[in-house]
Amino acid sequence: MTETERRRRLLNSVAARAALASVATAIFLLCLKGYAALTTNSVALLGSLADSGLDLLASLVTLYGVRLAATPADHDHRFGHGKAEALAALFQVALVTASALAIGWRGIAALGSDAQVADAELGIAVSGVAIIATMALVAYQKRIIAETGSIAVQADSLHYQGDILLNLSVIAALVLSRYLGLSGADALFGIAIAGWLGFGAFKASAQAIDQLMDKEWPEEERQRYIAVAVASPEVRGIHDFRTRRSGTRDFAQFHMNVDRNLSIVEAHDVVEEVEHALHTAFPKVEVLIHLDPEGHTDTDDPLVEEDVTPHWFRKRA
């Protein structure tokens, strides 16, 4: 087993533990808030309950994605199974959007109602417990992120950090409604939570679609990758550099120019050296290199046909 493969398995194992922790936390909070929402009749707490249900789904998707990323490519899926995570995310977005619409409608209806929040103290206590549990989970996730750099766990952690603010807003709504007599506060906070859920669904859908459409990496990340690729003195330049993401894995491919007088064995050794450097610096990236002799223009970049300058990087002599 190579060092790259060992590192990848370690990342999957540790990230899976973080995903399991978030699933357990989401189940606990879902049960707690479900009881409190039925008891208090709070629209804001109902919104928080729906968000916890979506947290559970998001955590299951994260767990599914991390485990799926560890599944080797097979005969029918030569590039792996990473894009199943994006498809699952789109399904999740549909559920989030439906929940946001339902909560928003309930909040609007509650604005003209005389119904009062019952047992606000229970709702406040439950939200307080939720904040403590979520803060503990986020602290654990940050430690895992520092150890593995897992993108999947990072996204999950950001979602739970937003939940801390969400639970604080529920407490504010219950306090305003119960102790200050602002009967419309709970409904307004419920509508605000619906809007927040809808915005989160929009962001999640954009990320999933970008992955399914093979959107390029951010330019800064591309430049860092190029810098490692051309670090060897035997590399004279690269072109047709293309990148994409699939689940928790990244893919990169490019044409590499070397001295045209090198033998096949010598040119192969240069490719091996570059691949080793790239795998060390970017262990989650699978790279494909096409070799070109220096001075030979060979491109399969579709942008060339549109009279658009391809991505070139030629080292100075």
Side-chain angles (χ1 to χ4, degrees), residues 11-12 15-16 19 61-70 85 150 152-153 248:
L11 182 150
N12 288 328
V61 169
T62 300
L63 179 61
Y64 169 75
V66 168
R67 289 190 169 180
L68 191 58
E85 184 178 349
S150 170
V153 177
T248 57

Side-chain angles (χ1 to χ4, degrees), residues 299-310:
T299 180
D300 59 0
D301 192 335
L303 297 181
V304 175
E305 300 175 3
E306 302 174 8
D307 195 28
V308 178
T309 303

Side-chain angles (χ1 to χ4, degrees), residues 91-107:
F91 175 74
Q92 177 185 353
V93 164
L95 293 179
V96 173
T97 303
S99 297
L101 290 174
I103 293 166
W105 178 259
R106 174 74 182 270

